[in-house]
Amino acid sequence: MATSPAPGEGPVRPVSVSLHEGTIAALRARTGKRGMSAYVEALIQRQLERDRLRELIEDAEAEHGPVHQAAVEAKRAVLRGDNAGSADAA
């Protein structure tokens, strides 16, 4: 049985989407007319990744309980390179 291609793989096919005129104007200003498809493709792939990450977090929280906010803040401090972050919670 054939599997579906992963996001970003497979042949490119045209689709029709409806967007507000202001959104289209901002998109064209940022990408030019010919760069719109690549820009939208990248946005959709990033959103799909975020959706999958949210699902993983929800599954982990269902199994192990919610993450303590202090631990989240400590990890954020590490990612920012903030030396004031607590090494104990990281």
Side-chain angles (χ1 to χ4, degrees), residues 34-46:
R34 300 186 61 74
M36 290 175 60
S37 292
Y39 192 86
V40 171
E41 171 82 15
L43 291 174
I44 292 169
Q45 286 184 31
R46 186 166 45 246

Side-chain angles (χ1 to χ4, degrees), residues 2-23:
T3 60
S4 297
E9 297 178 349
V12 175
R13 295 184 339 162
V15 296
S16 175
V17 297
S18 299
L19 303 172
H20 293 280
E21 286 184 27
T23 303

Side-chain angles (χ1 to χ4, degrees), residues 52-68:
R52 286 192 302 268
L53 180 56
R54 170 55 44 203
E55 291 164 0
L56 287 172
I57 291 169
E58 289 170 356
D59 290 347
E61 286 182 341
E63 185 174 340
H64 303 287
V67 176
H68 296 289

Side-chain angles (χ1 to χ4, degrees), residues 70-82:
V72 172
E73 292 304 321
K75 293 294 184 185
R76 283 184 178 146
V78 169
L79 290 172
R80 287 189 307 260
D82 180 3

